[in-house]
Amino acid sequence: MTAPQPRPNVAAIPAYVAGKPPRPREGLTVHKLSSNENPYPPLPGVIEAAMAAAQQMNRYPDMGNAELYDALSARLGVPTSDLALATGSVALVYQLMHAFCHPGDEVVYAWRSFEAYPIAVAAAAATSVRVPVLPDGRHDLDAMAAAVTDRTRVVLVCTPNNPTGPAVTQAELDRFLAQVPPHVLVVVDEAYVEFVRSEDPIDGVATYRRHPHVLVTRTFSKAYGLAGFRVGYAVGPEPIAAALRAVSLPFGVSIVAQAAAVASLAAEAELLERVEALVGERSRLVAGLHDVGWDVPEPQGNFVWFELGERTLDFAAAADELGIVVRPFAGEGARVSIGEPEANDRVVELARQFPR
Ligand SMILES: *Cc1c(COP(=O)(O)O)cnc(C)c1O
């Protein structure tokens, strides 16, 4: 008798390495800078909305998550038919693979980029085609366009790119879209869109309106500080959004998550002030790093990238000694989230100990 066997691709799914929690240290406040989370506690109104929703935990969420669809529709100026909600934008990547890829179909993305991509692609038995990022951490969009074949179903553009930092500009995206054939779905992963301060930022909503093969994904996990509640959304042409909704888990977004997301949209002004503070800290950190001899790739998200090669794990260990936890990618580099000012000061100290 043979035991039940999963599909062969399942054994090939790489493990997701989550950012480690900090190790408690006597007499030292520790900071978790390993998961690009928002360091601020939730806003009072958001907590209250979530607490009130928790009173109804014996009930299923309303099937359509109508309240959140309506709030996003109003906020973005798009019809609800062009939206798809999910339990975090990671879930949207899985749903995309599920809805658009047959086994063996190709999915093109930059590398190194978001580590959930290869997992979602492998889970769908599709094939990853990785295009190395340029030495400055930016997407090599010409090479990505050249990597598209008849088998390509999806291209993932991660902007700002996690973990290297730089953002794609609207001009670069337009040039790229002109090169990609219409049968290929181009997904613009804007998980960090609120942090972008580029001279030519992407307008994702305007872009999908001009292109029937473009979908934008966003999340409440980063700027909105709801990582633990798992809410993300896609904005795209109706047939694509409908396909994502069709393969979604029923009742995926919980009532508590929905209430917190709706309250966060209502408190957007206050939340975006916090984002502004983090962007200010990002500039201060970049200047501090420059002073100690480190020029990181232009960070447009809430994190910076240190290219360290073989020194990466030593860097992570030294960070630990200073009471900060970073996200090492062994043999390549370390991603360090922007935290509170004290945490960022320690990052500069860490960099000083690690001459480039
Ligand atoms: C964090 C992140 C996401 C979103 O994650 P969720 O918490 O699942 O919404 C999506 N894409 C990138 C590139 C990220 O870094």
Side-chain angles (χ1 to χ4, degrees), residues 119-271:
I119 299 174
V121 172
T127 300
S128 282
V129 177
R130 297 172 173 191
V131 177
V133 294
L134 294 164
D136 61 4
R138 289 185 306 121
H139 277 38
D140 187 346
L141 289 170
D142 287 336
M144 288 174 71
V148 169
T149 70
D150 291 347
R151 304 243 34 198
T152 308
R153 289 288 157 271
V154 180
V155 178
L156 300 163
V157 177
C158 185
T159 174
N161 187 46
N162 173 7
T164 60
V168 172
T169 65
Q170 184 73 54
E172 288 167 344
L173 182 63
D174 288 342
R175 193 177 122 88
F176 176 69
L177 290 172
Q179 298 173 70
V180 176
H183 74 274
V184 176
L185 173 58
V186 178
V187 177
V188 185
D189 182 342
E190 294 198 308
Y192 303 95
V193 64
E194 296 85 357
F195 297 97
V196 174
R197 296 294 179 274
S198 116
E199 276 170 22
D200 183 21
I202 289 174
D203 183 338
V205 172
T207 306
Y208 100 80
R209 286 200 177 108
R210 288 198 300 270
H211 298 275
H213 64 316
V214 171
L215 179 92
V216 176
T217 62
R218 295 190 182 157
T219 179
F220 284 93
S221 295
K222 308 287 162 53
Y224 290 88
L226 298 184
F229 274 174
R230 320 300 308 124
V231 199
Y233 61 94
V235 200
E238 199 272 338
I240 297 172
L244 290 179
R245 292 194 300 268
V247 298
S248 68
L249 286 183
F251 304 115
V253 177
S254 76
I255 48 171
V256 181
Q258 171 166 253
V262 169
S264 298
L265 285 173
E268 198 171 36
E270 242 171 304
L271 283 168

Side-chain angles (χ1 to χ4, degrees), residues 2-166:
T2 55
Q5 292 298 313
R7 295 192 300 168
N9 62 295
V10 174
I13 298 174
Y16 190 99
V17 183
K20 274 200 242 154
R23 181 165 60 91
R25 302 283 293 280
E26 184 105 18
L28 186 65
T29 322
V30 286
H31 295 276
K32 183 179 179 218
L33 303 180
S34 53
S35 296
N36 294 349
E37 292 150 339
N38 195 318
Y40 297 109
L43 287 175
V46 176
I47 296 187
E48 278 151 23
M51 300 283 266
Q55 306 286 330
Q56 292 162 54
M57 65 172 77
N58 57 316
R59 301 290 177 197
Y60 280 106
D62 71 288
M63 183 73 189
N65 287 119
E67 223 192 319
L68 183 50
Y69 272 99
D70 289 345
L72 282 171
S73 163
R75 166 68 183 79
L76 301 168
V78 303
T80 52
S81 53
D82 291 7
L83 293 168
L85 281 180
T87 53
S89 54
V90 164
L92 289 164
V93 180
Y94 278 69
Q95 288 167 226
L96 278 163
M97 298 307 139
H98 211 55
F100 288 91
C101 295
H102 297 95
D105 281 347
E106 292 172 359
V107 179
V108 174
Y109 53 89
W111 200 250
R112 180 163 280 278
S113 187
F114 188 31
E115 73 169 316
Y117 297 160
I119 299 174
V121 172
T127 300
S128 282
V129 177
R130 297 172 173 191
V131 177
V133 294
L134 294 164
D136 61 4
R138 289 185 306 121
H139 277 38
D140 187 346
L141 289 170
D142 287 336
M144 288 174 71
V148 169
T149 70
D150 291 347
R151 304 243 34 198
T152 308
R153 289 288 157 271
V154 180
V155 178
L156 300 163
V157 177
C158 185
T159 174
N161 187 46
N162 173 7
T164 60

